[in-house]
Amino acid sequence: MGFEVLLKGNNAARLLGGLLAALRISLVSVVISIILGVLLGVLVTLRRPVITAIYRIYLETVRIMPQLVLLFIVFFGSTKALGLNLSAESASIIVFSFWGTAEMADLVRGSLAAIPVIQYESAASLGFDQVQTYRYIIVPQIVRRMIPLSINLITRMIKTTSLVMMIGIVEVLKVGQQIIEANRKSSPNAAFGVFATVFILYFLACFPISRFAGYLEKKWEN
Amino acid sequence: MDFEVIHSYMPLYIEAFILTVKIGWAGIAISFAVGIFAAFMMHFKVPVVSKIAVGYVELFRNTPLLVQLFFIYFGLPKIGLSISAPNCGAIGLGLLGGSYMAEAIRSGLSAIPKSQEESALALGLNRRQMFVHVIFPEAVSISVPAIVANIIFMLKETSVFSAISLMDLMFTAKDLIGLYYNTTEALFLLVVFYIVMLLPVSILGSVIEKRARYKTLGA
């Protein structure tokens, strides 16, 4: 059925290497997204009209533009418009961070908005000052709400990185195609085995993470 | 930006747009059928079938559409199951979306308090009437925000169809960039057509969400 191709030479190792390339891009993008997203989310809760307006436009752009379109714009458009020669990898990190930051900021904004005013008032009446209120009351609650959702963002980021093959990054699907091409004669059915393996690999990468997020969500729900 | 170029590209984009929208909505229709079926199986804990449904949902929620399409389009023919590219796009999208829809509807069903069921029975409805007239409508109105988000997500995911050589919007843009180097115009039209495809759904979605919320509160 074409699985035998993976046992030849270092094909299995190459396929895993391709997956790691995709995982590396998603990891970098997630870290950038979380940092920028938290900053932006907090900034938006200040309710300055200009910030809010820009934020709404940014959010709606990310909501309706497919990531692949953004990837094309940054990768092909930047060369043409700005004369920059971005590598495919930096283009994809820029796009995924742009997308992830919006998602993350909205999560932060949503969780901050979900904390009832009574929490602030109670803290104040108990003699907490502004900093203490955030330090001991608000932030711990936000973090509990945020962590499962941020972990979900990681799995979505991993799934989205499969798109980078479309702008020429050699990741797991591309390596799969190369293996199939190279063994066209000796194992004509390689496409089934290789793509089934890629399917399972992605599942193995994402399933434990989303299970963990679900577990934390259950554990911390009150 | 050269508007003559844009004008001459228009017919190509319109054709691609129609194809993308057709396959997209066919996929969404499939996702509803699959999603509702899987959600019912999971909700009623039908032996064996519910286990399969859970496996399906987890498998498709945790893998990217591009990988699913590669497997269906390039992998399955090797074991004798050939599917044409447009069908493959619709089926792949439908299976991906089905897993998200199943999760949305299942969580809607499980959010209905037991008292609703008991009250319906106490009022003399039989089990079928209870489900059709009370539980299911309530569950759907709870699931509406998730369903709308899923539809937008699926329409966005149509952008990967070009990988299985469907002449969709992405394919057209990439092709034109490769042929004529009119990058700005090709990308501009790409963005415009995606806005045309998604902005109405996004706006309509928030309107429906508000109405659905009103219904639950009014009940």
Side-chain angles (χ1 to χ4, degrees):
Chain A
M1 297 233 283
F3 287 102
E4 72 284 349
V5 132
L6 295 168
L7 302 173
K8 267 193 225 156
N10 56 356
N11 281 351
R14 281 182 60 206
L15 210 56
L16 276 176
L19 187 67
L20 288 181
L23 290 180
R24 204 181 55 233
I25 292 175
S26 44
L27 195 69
V28 175
S29 314
V30 161
V31 172
I32 297 175
S33 305
I34 289 179
I35 296 170
L36 294 182
V38 169
L39 285 176
L40 182 62
V42 172
L43 212 59
V44 169
T45 45
L46 298 178
R47 294 175 206 278
R48 297 286 145 81
V50 181
I51 299 176
T52 312
I54 296 172
Y55 172 76
R56 297 291 317 171
I57 296 170
Y58 172 39
L59 206 65
E60 194 62 20
T61 311
V62 171
R63 197 168 123 105
I64 66 172
M65 272 301 128
Q67 286 90 347
L68 192 56
V69 174
L70 296 175
L71 214 50
F72 266 51
I73 293 174
V74 172
F75 188 57
F76 294 115
S78 69
T79 322
K80 180 92 177 186
L82 308 170
L84 282 174
N85 198 358
L86 281 179
S87 72
E89 199 165 316
S90 8
S92 40
I93 289 174
I94 291 172
V95 168
F96 296 147
S97 309
F98 180 77
W99 163 65
T101 301
E103 294 272 336
M104 199 64 202
D106 204 41
L107 294 181
V108 173
R109 189 202 52 78
S111 335
L112 271 171
I115 304 268
V117 185
I118 201 168
Q119 298 267 346
Y120 295 90
E121 291 168 352
S122 316
S125 68
L126 285 169
F128 285 79
D129 64 29
Q130 192 86 29
V131 177
Q132 286 170 329
T133 309
Y134 277 95
R135 164 81 180 75
Y136 295 105
I137 317 271
I138 308 300
V139 172
Q141 294 188 67
I142 303 271
V143 167
R144 282 192 170 197
R145 219 184 285 249
M146 292 296 308
I147 287 179
L149 298 172
S150 330
I151 295 174
N152 272 329
L153 185 66
I154 299 176
T155 64
R156 288 171 57 204
M157 199 66 95
I158 293 174
K159 284 184 282 176
T160 313
T161 45
S162 63
L163 299 178
V164 299
M165 76 160 291
M166 311 274 272
I167 57 166
I169 294 181
V170 181
E171 47 66 79
V172 60
L173 275 173
K174 196 78 207 166
V175 173
Q177 278 182 330
Q178 290 170 349
I179 293 174
I180 294 163
E181 282 299 321
N183 298 286
R184 179 135 296 208
K185 285 267 162 55
S186 57
S187 27
N189 290 333
F192 180 80
V194 170
F195 288 135
T197 310
V198 174
F199 202 130
I200 302 296
L201 281 178
Y202 263 104
F203 178 73
L204 291 179
C206 293
F207 181 63
I209 303 178
S210 51
R211 259 334 245 291
F212 182 59
Y215 161 77
L216 286 183
E217 210 167 336
K218 266 233 176 75
K219 190 179 150 197
W220 284 339
E221 128 195 292
N222 26 19
Chain B
M1 191 121 44
D2 187 342
F3 284 95
E4 218 152 282
V5 174
I6 290 186
H7 188 73
S8 67
Y9 285 176
M10 270 310 246
L12 287 172
Y13 273 91
I14 291 174
E15 207 174 305
F17 176 76
I18 293 171
L19 181 80
T20 311
V21 168
K22 256 192 207 158
I23 301 178
W25 284 97
I28 290 168
I30 296 175
S31 81
F32 269 104
V34 173
I36 291 174
F37 180 75
F40 281 6
M41 293 304 123
M42 292 193 289
H43 182 68
F44 293 114
K45 302 200 168 60
V46 180
V48 188
V49 191
S50 73
K51 290 271 180 293
I52 297 173
V54 170
Y56 153 72
V57 169
E58 291 297 348
L59 189 62
F60 277 80
R61 274 174 66 93
N62 286 299
T63 45
L65 179 62
L66 193 57
V67 172
Q68 296 162 8
L69 287 180
F70 267 60
F71 178 69
I72 299 173
Y73 189 66
F74 298 112
L76 289 184
K78 301 295 177 194
I79 54 165
L81 202 66
S82 278
I83 305 168
S84 73
N87 287 342
C88 176
I91 292 171
L93 190 65
L95 287 176
L96 171 86
S99 66
Y100 282 82
M101 290 294 185
E103 195 53 33
I105 296 166
R106 190 201 56 77
S107 65
L109 283 171
S110 67
I112 307 292
K114 193 93 181 136
S115 64
Q116 293 285 329
E117 213 169 286
E118 291 161 352
S119 316
L121 293 177
L123 285 170
L125 273 69
N126 65 30
R127 294 216 142 257
R128 197 188 62 80
Q129 288 169 326
M130 169 201 84
F131 191 76
V132 174
H133 297 294
V134 180
I135 307 298
F136 190 59
E138 287 190 342
V140 169
S141 85
I142 293 177
S143 314
V144 161
I147 291 174
V148 170
N150 287 346
I151 290 177
I152 293 174
F153 164 73
M154 288 171 73
L155 286 176
K156 281 166 75 177
E157 287 287 304
T158 56
S159 58
V160 308
F161 285 165
S162 57
I164 55 166
S165 60
L166 274 171
M167 308 265 270
D168 72 339
L169 289 169
M170 290 307 295
F171 189 96
T172 308
K174 199 173 182 180
D175 214 29
L176 290 173
I177 292 172
L179 282 173
Y180 305 115
Y181 287 113
N182 288 323
T183 314
T184 321
E185 289 80 7
L187 290 177
F188 172 73
L189 281 173
L190 180 66
V191 169
V192 167
F193 274 95
Y194 268 106
I195 291 175
V196 170
M197 181 153 97
L198 281 149
L199 197 57
V201 180
S202 176
I203 293 169
L204 198 69
S206 21
V207 173
I208 295 173
E209 254 170 60
K210 282 207 185 85
R211 283 189 63 102
R213 212 170 299 153
Y214 172 72
K215 277 234 163 101
T216 17
L217 287 177

